[in-house]
Amino acid sequence: MTPSDYEYLRKLLKERSGLDLSADKQYLVESRLMPLARKASLSGIPELVQAMKSGAVALTSEVVEAMTTNETFFFRDKIPFDHLKETVLPGLIQARAARRSIRIWCAASSTGQEPYSIAMILKEMGAALSGWRTEIVATDLSMGVLEKSITGLFSQFEVQRGLPIQMLVKYFTQQGELWQLNADIRAMVQHRQLNLLQDFSHLGTFDVIFCRNVLIYFDQATKSAVLDRVARNTERDGYLLLGAAETVVGLSDSFRPLPDHRGVYVPSAAIANIAANNVLKFAAAAT
Ligand SMILES: C[S@@+](CC[C@H](N)C(=O)[O-])C[C@H]1O[C@@H](n2cnc3c(N)ncnc32)[C@H](O)[C@@H]1O
């Protein structure tokens, strides 16, 4: 690949997916895109770039997808899911007692382990949410990962990563070498393709937004812009959960960290209310 091919790909990926590649990631691009070039009967990356420049739209989308990192696993990092179960959902059950509905958005849902972990937590809450309307919207840029997520089929390796054995037994059925997530849990999650760089105001507002392990691939300006737009889709007393290597600090004034709850953020306007209403005391008692 020539330096100009690499520059072309860097610019295109930044514009299309927000991926911010440093100047020394040629090896990554080669390893991700060579299989795609071969599949398209092209001899290498220069020919792939040429085809893209000539207007190969489908191929360009495949390149963008191939460059996404889809690493995920059930109950990833555990603590955010503990916060969801012990603080966020109990708080919302009180706050939404009149309307009895909760909307959750999983904004870079990859192959489904994250939204389905959330669905299993809601299911485990049982009576506390009985009669409530709960909605989980799972979105991702990549159609490939969404299609896999919709099947609800996971390999032995995937179910061994983070999923407690009791949950495997309770919510999955073995099908040959794969595990099929039960239909009632699958039905709790709606899937939609969505690029976080594009407008998502049409999704409406959510009580909880998981936007984990995707901002790390963006540059500072893109992180800030996405966080500010995510804030507009967050209920005034809602919650944002970010990945372990992500934060709002120094990037957006729209959210503040929820004290003593690593990875959990609340709209800035809410923090004053939380303190005033002494909800933090409630949160501490629940953990
Ligand atoms: C590393 S995975 C994280 C999955 C999950 N949230 C987790 O923490 O386990 C990152 C996901 O972000 C998606 N992604 C990358 N850029 C995106 C964008 N601009 N808009 C929406 N999703 C994007 C990728 O397709 C990938 O599935």
Side-chain angles (χ1 to χ4, degrees):
M1 169 176 28
T2 65
S4 94
D5 289 336
Y6 185 60
E7 271 320 300
Y8 173 83
L9 288 165
R10 262 178 86 178
K11 187 162 173 287
L12 177 123
L13 292 163
K14 179 88 176 285
E15 281 169 9
R16 298 291 181 96
S17 69
L19 179 63
D20 184 32
L21 283 176
S22 55
D24 59 349
K25 289 284 191 306
Q26 284 91 338
Y27 70 94
L28 179 70
V29 171
E30 293 263 359
S31 67
R32 295 272 182 93
L33 298 189
M34 268 314 285
L36 203 58
R38 274 190 224 104
K39 201 181 94 193
S41 307
L42 297 164
S43 52
I45 307 291
E47 292 70 21
L48 185 74
V49 168
Q50 201 45 55
M52 290 163 72
K53 284 182 178 167
S54 314
V57 177
L59 191 62
T60 303
S61 298
E62 285 186 62
V63 164
V64 172
E65 283 211 17
M67 287 306 302
T68 58
T69 298
N70 308 124
E71 162 75 357
T72 187
F73 48 95
F74 288 102
F75 299 98
R76 184 174 187 172
D77 303 335
K78 192 177 172 301
I79 289 171
F81 293 93
D82 291 343
H83 291 328
L84 177 70
K85 198 164 53 188
E86 291 160 11
T87 302
V88 171
L89 288 172
L92 286 170
I93 286 170
Q94 278 196 349
R96 303 285 181 268
R99 83 173 194 219
R100 291 165 77 81
S101 74
I102 295 179
R103 293 193 84 213
I104 301 177
W105 177 22
C106 188
S109 55
S110 190
T111 42
Q113 285 88 332
E114 184 168 70
Y116 290 137
S117 297
I118 299 168
M120 286 184 270
I121 285 180
L122 291 182
K123 191 78 174 173
E124 292 279 301
M125 306 227 26
L129 284 174
S130 152
W132 284 57
R133 201 166 64 82
T134 54
E135 209 184 327
I136 303 169
V137 180
T139 65
D140 201 283
L141 168 79
S142 158
M143 268 315 290
V145 295
L146 289 171
E147 280 162 9
K148 172 167 160 47
S149 179
I150 289 166
T151 67
L153 283 167
F154 296 94
S155 68
Q156 183 70 39
F157 174 69
E158 287 167 330
V159 297
Q160 273 170 348
R161 295 184 76 198
L163 184 69
I165 184 79
Q166 311 88 294
M167 287 205 166
L168 177 64
V169 172
K170 196 162 166 189
Y171 296 119
F172 290 76
T173 311
Q174 194 158 19
Q175 278 194 6
E177 292 187 347
L178 297 176
W179 290 87
Q180 171 79 75
L181 184 60
N182 294 346
D184 57 341
I185 304 292
R186 274 185 283 141
M188 292 170 73
V189 178
Q190 307 164 32
H191 293 84
R192 293 195 208 169
Q193 187 179 27
L194 188 129
N195 186 342
L196 286 168
L197 300 194
Q198 291 166 2
D199 177 48
F200 45 75
S201 54
H202 58 279
L203 289 181
T205 52
F206 293 88
D207 302 301
V208 187
I209 299 180
F210 279 68
C211 185
R212 301 176 66 227
N213 304 302
V214 62
L215 296 178
I216 34 170
Y217 301 105
F218 300 163
D219 67 11
Q220 302 292 97
T222 311
K223 286 179 196 182
S224 298
V226 171
L227 282 168
D228 286 339
R229 289 191 299 117
V230 163
R232 287 182 226 140
N233 288 61
T234 312
E235 287 283 349
R236 290 167 65 87
D237 56 351
Y239 300 84
L240 168 70
L241 285 92
L242 297 181
E246 297 164 331
T247 181
V248 301
V249 178
L251 291 170
S252 170
D253 292 330
S254 304
F255 292 99
R256 295 275 181 274
L258 182 64
D260 303 323
H261 290 75
R262 210 192 137 120
V264 184
Y265 301 84
V266 293
S268 299
I271 202 85
N273 294 341
I274 288 174
N277 295 335
N278 233 351
V279 172
L280 290 178
K281 226 187 233 169
F282 159 76
T287 53

